[in-house]
């Protein structure tokens, strides 16, 4: 019998985006039997038994996934070969410019593929020349799970592959999953949120606001929504870059913070404090670039901006979405979904000039630390209830961007368990998102071996990046990798 997994309004916040990540594995031992295709495929099929949602079909309404074993939505699994050697990738620090051009089989936005079907799992394995390594592209729509769930799946798949590699070829039992995963969204609300704590008024206003355009968009069939979003991103996307902020730079930013504000916070390289430092550093530089770009436009363009701002009531400010607290730490179950708290922050674009000075940086860092640090299970429960009562919030967010409001998204990915993605040959040397994405999407990632601090994935318009390079405060602490 088919099983229906009803998706929540919390899932819907991410219903138009993907997890298109690329993992680079080096064949360090020159193993002839390096990540063999049959073992990858067999272990993947076994892993899907523990993650049945990934072989389901999203309903046309977009509100549920139907899992029918007699009619599975099988993953796209493609393997190709490349004349590129792993050594060249390593030499160029895994820069997108040297990647094979066809690695990504899908883009950053969820969209129907072959025969109009939305695949919930897409895999592309690229074997490099001289058996020097393998590139593994894996995409799962954000709608069905968050980054933590993504690496739960990849880690589980990798574990099964390792176990199969240890068994004789004549008899390979299917290992029982070590963990029971939970996909029932109603169980999350029942087990976590016995009590509530009120959201602040600005967050409530952001989550509950409505517009005619967003109401119409939310009523469209889900596949049409994804096609429109995918087309819009093709016309309005940004090139991605990687930056590095060293541990020494983070510590210097922390000392600067302490010299400007009276509140005392604990600090280490992976803490909420470092998230606040990194977010403040990048947000002040990007917002200053917005202001400088606007101020340099001619009189007619500025008048047009003002008129459009009056009509849409959005373009006079930048909307920052802070995403660094996962509810997984509040749970005693292996929940696979999107227990994510998004914290909206409105940053003015007019009036005073945001010059990236130390005092402004410290004020922003303190505000971010306070807002995000206050999140707990009670607040998360109220967010869940508010979203359930306002299921079209995702459409409001999408339309805000479409109407011209600058949107900055900051997500902390440093705790994703990429080290568990070991198929028997070691963890990936480098994990990367795609070379293009929605503008002003910023992700903080753990450093690979050889670097300390944090690496930052930032998709930025070229003119915004140019302004940021002219910001002496920003460039003092952040170094462009590529």
């Amino acid at each position: 019998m088919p099983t229906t997994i009803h998706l929540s309004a919390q899932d819907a916040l991410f219903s138009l985006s993907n997890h298109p990540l690329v993992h680079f594995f080096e064949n360090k031992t020159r193993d002839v039997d390096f990540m063999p295709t049959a073992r990858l495929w067999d272990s993947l099929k076994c892993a899907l038994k523990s993650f049945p949602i990934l072989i389901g079909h999203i309903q046309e309404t977009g509100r549920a996934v139907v899992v029918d074993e007699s009619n599975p939505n099988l993953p796209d699994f493609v393997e190709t070969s490349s004349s590129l050697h792993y050594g060249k990738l390593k030499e160029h620090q895994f820069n997108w410019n040297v990647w094979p051009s066809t690695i990504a089989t899908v883009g950053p936005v969820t969209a129907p593929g072959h025969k109009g079907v939305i695949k919930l799992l897409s895999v592309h394995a690229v074997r490099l020349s001289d058996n020097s390594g393998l590139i593994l592209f894996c995409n799962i729509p954000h709608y069905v799970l968050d980054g933590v769930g993504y690496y739960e799946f990849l880690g589980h798949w990798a574990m099964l592959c390792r176990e199969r590699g240890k068994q004789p070829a004549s008899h390979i039992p299917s290992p029982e999953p070590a963990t029971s995963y939970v996909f029932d969204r109603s169980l999350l609300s029942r087990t976590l949120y016995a009590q509530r704590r009120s959201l602040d008024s600005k967050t409530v206003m952001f989550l509950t606001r409505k517009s005619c355009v967003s109401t119409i968009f939310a009523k469209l069939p889900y596949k049409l929504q994804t096609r429109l979003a995918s087309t819009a991103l093709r016309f309005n996307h940004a090139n991605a870059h990687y930056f590095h902020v060293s541990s020494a730079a983070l510590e210097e930013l922390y000392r600067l913070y302490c010299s400007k504000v009276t509140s005392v916070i604990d600090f280490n390289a992976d803490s909420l404090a470092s998230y606040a430092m990194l977010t403040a550093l990048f947000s002040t530089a990007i917002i200053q670039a917005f202001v400088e770009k606007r101020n340099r436009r001619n009189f007619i363009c500025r008048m047009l901006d003002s008129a459009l701002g009056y009509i849409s009531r959005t373009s006079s400010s930048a909307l920052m979405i802070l995403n660094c607290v996962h509810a997984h730490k509040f749970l005693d179950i292996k929940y696979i979904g999107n227990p994510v708290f998004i914290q909206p922050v409105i940053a003015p674009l007019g009036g005073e000039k945001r010059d990236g000075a130390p005092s402004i940086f410290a004020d922003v860092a303190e505000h971010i630390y306070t807002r995000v640090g206050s999140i707990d299970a009670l607040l998360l429960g109220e967010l869940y209830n508010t979203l359930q009562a306002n299921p079209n919030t995702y459409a409001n967010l999408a339309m805000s961007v479409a109407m011209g409001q600058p949107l900055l998204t900051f997500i902390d990915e440093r705790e994703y368990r990429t080290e568990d993605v070991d198929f028997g040959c070691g963890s990936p040397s480098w994990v990367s998102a795609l070379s293009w994405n929605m503008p002003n999407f910023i992700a903080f990632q753990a450093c690979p071996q050889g670097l300390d601090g944090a690496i930052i994935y930032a998709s930025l318009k070229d003119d915004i990046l140019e302004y940021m390079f002219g910001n002496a405060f920003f460039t003092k602490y952040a170094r462009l990798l590529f």
Side-chain angles (χ1 to χ4, degrees), residues 210-256:
K210 293 180 175 64
S211 72
C212 293
V213 177
S214 62
T215 301
I216 293 171
F217 181 81
K219 290 181 178 180
L220 297 176
Y222 176 63
K223 288 182 181 178
L224 180 55
Q225 291 181 20
T226 62
R227 286 191 174 101
L228 291 173
S230 181
T231 300
L233 187 61
R234 286 287 177 182
F235 284 100
N236 182 32
H237 66 269
N239 294 322
H241 305 271
Y242 269 105
F243 292 86
H244 176 230
V245 177
S246 67
S247 293
L250 279 171
E251 291 171 3
E252 186 175 341
L253 286 170
Y254 174 66
R255 289 193 296 271
L256 174 62

Side-chain angles (χ1 to χ4, degrees), residues 266-282:
D266 294 328
F267 178 80
N268 64 69
D270 296 316
S271 68
L272 171 59
S274 63
Y275 173 82
M277 302 297 127
L278 290 168
T279 303
L281 177 66
F282 276 80

